[in-house]
Structure formats: C-alpha cells, structure tokens
Amino acid sequence: MLNLGAPIPLLLIGNVIIVEHLARSRSRCQRMNISGQARNTRPLSMLMTALCVLFLVTLTPVSVCFLYFPYLREKLLSLESVDPYKARYDVQYIKFLYDVSLLLTYLNATFNFAIYVFSGSKFRAELMSLLCCKVTKGTSLFGS
C-alpha cells in the first residue's frame, strides 16, 4: 500500500522545490542582468504544475480503488449470503468504477504527450523530424 501513496507526496514536494529554485534563479538573473533579458522560467513552472495536477487527477482514482477494494470485498462477501443478486449488481458496479479509473490512468499518458506537444516548440520540432524521417541539423533534443 505504501507504493500507491508515495509518488504523490514525492511529486508534490519535488515540484515545489524545483519551482522555488526556478523562481530564485529568475530573480537572481534579473538582478544580475542589466538589460533585463533574463530567461523566463514561468512557462516551465506552469508546465510542471500542469503535469503534477494532471498526475494527481488521473492517478488518484485508481489508487483509491486499490486502497478501498479489500474493505469492499469483505462487505460484498457478507452481502452475498444475504442477497446474492444485490451483491452481483454491486460487484458489476465496482468493476465499472475500476475500469473508469483505469481509463483515467491511461489518459494520463495521452494528456502528458499533448501537454508536451502544445507547450514545447523544441519537442514539436523533434517530433516532426522524427515522424517525417528528417535528419536534424546541430544538436538534437534527444541526443545524437
């Protein structure tokens, strides 16, 4: 059960630390740079925040299902001896909820890809060169 709840707090803490360091770096660069052309880290901070929120929204339901199902199983077993039809209906409803939460988990990867495509011009350029089988000039985003 620890492996279900550990990624969420670690992701939140890590993202807060990274966004804080990005903000400090931006303010430090603005103080040092006289012309005021410091690198804008706001889009990166927004991207990381969006990915963290997306992770929480899409993976929390399946984690809740995994935590709640052992308790629900005991309840359904006791209900089966009293009302088997109601127990079977409840089992089907639980399976439906699990499938929906699993679908949300799969949508996490889809939404991550979409966020990267819409937010990063370098990622879009590399993706287009990859899909069109073009050789990129200079340094590549994914290595040589």
Side-chain angles (χ1 to χ4, degrees):
M1 294 302 162
L2 178 64
N3 62 351
L4 295 174
I8 293 171
L10 290 176
L11 186 66
L12 284 173
I13 292 168
N15 280 338
V16 166
I17 290 170
I18 291 171
V19 168
E20 180 183 327
H21 282 292
L22 284 172
R24 283 185 195 167
S25 172
R26 183 176 56 179
S27 67
R28 215 176 300 130
C29 285
Q30 285 175 347
R31 281 189 302 232
M32 291 173 46
N33 195 353
I34 298 170
S35 64
Q37 296 178 356
R39 181 176 174 201
N40 188 11
T41 58
R42 187 176 190 96
L44 182 60
S45 299
M46 289 175 50
L47 173 69
M48 291 181 52
T49 305
L51 289 174
C52 184
V53 168
L54 177 69
F55 181 83
L56 290 174
V57 168
T58 57
L59 268 67
T60 300
V62 78
S63 297
V64 169
C65 286
F66 280 135
L67 291 174
Y68 187 60
F69 280 172
Y71 301 109
L72 195 59
R73 184 173 182 262
E74 305 252 341
K75 179 182 166 189
L76 289 174
L77 287 175
S78 63
L79 180 64
E80 190 173 18
S81 63
V82 177
D83 189 3
Y85 295 111
K86 172 78 171 141
R88 287 185 188 141
Y89 174 79
D90 287 349
V91 165
Q92 293 303 315
Y93 182 69
I94 299 296
K95 286 181 180 180
F96 171 74
L97 290 179
Y98 176 72
D99 290 342
V100 169
S101 66
L102 205 57
L103 180 64
L104 277 175
T105 302
Y106 294 143
L107 286 177
N108 180 38
T110 305
F111 290 143
N112 272 335
F113 179 75
I115 286 173
Y116 280 117
V117 167
F118 290 128
S119 67
S121 57
K122 287 182 182 179
F123 186 84
R124 277 194 303 272
E126 285 292 325
L127 181 64
M128 288 305 293
S129 68
L130 179 71
L131 293 176
C132 297
C133 298
K134 294 181 182 177
V135 178
T136 56
K137 297 177 182 175
T139 60
S140 174
L141 183 63
F142 301 115
S144 57

